[in-house]
Amino acid sequence: MKIKIIDKEKNFSLSLPTRLLFNQFFASLVPVFINAELKKYGICVTGSMCRKFVRGFYKTRKNFGGKLELVEVESKDGEKVKITL
């Protein structure tokens, strides 16, 4: 995953390996943290749901040529933010 922020004065770029964030181990741990917050809305997420999401994410990314652009925003001031998986 790449996060780029381009400003008139300085540029900032942060690169994180996508496999570090979207893997089977992390998908198994996510429900522990998010279920506490989702209980308010009556939603329950299981580890198998998250693992299926990760598998679907990689299949989808493969169909898009290995890259997915999530966000590309430009402000009036000329500041740009771009998030690519």
Side-chain angles (χ1 to χ4, degrees):
M1 172 170 34
K2 293 180 184 177
I3 300 173
K4 291 183 182 181
I5 301 173
I6 301 169
D7 195 4
K8 291 180 180 178
E9 298 162 3
K10 52 182 150 175
N11 296 339
F12 175 76
S13 181
L14 176 67
S15 294
L16 298 170
T18 305
R19 286 276 178 191
L20 182 64
L21 299 175
F22 292 106
N23 60 41
Q24 299 297 321
F25 176 73
F26 185 71
S28 298
L29 290 178
V30 166
V32 174
F33 298 105
I34 64 172
N35 276 334
E37 195 65 33
L38 292 177
K39 272 186 185 176
K40 299 175 193 174
Y41 306 106
I43 299 171
C44 182
V45 176
T46 64
S48 64
M49 289 176 174
C50 292
R51 287 188 297 273
K52 285 179 184 179
F53 170 78
V54 169
R55 281 192 297 260
F57 167 76
Y58 283 112
K59 285 180 182 178
T60 303
R61 193 174 86 161
K62 185 186 270 186
N63 291 337
F64 282 96
K67 272 177 142 179
L68 280 173
E69 288 189 10
L70 292 181
V71 177
E72 188 169 356
V73 180
E74 185 173 349
S75 69
K76 280 184 176 180
D77 302 335
E79 186 174 301
K80 297 179 184 178
V81 176
K82 187 175 182 181
I83 300 177
T84 306
L85 290 176

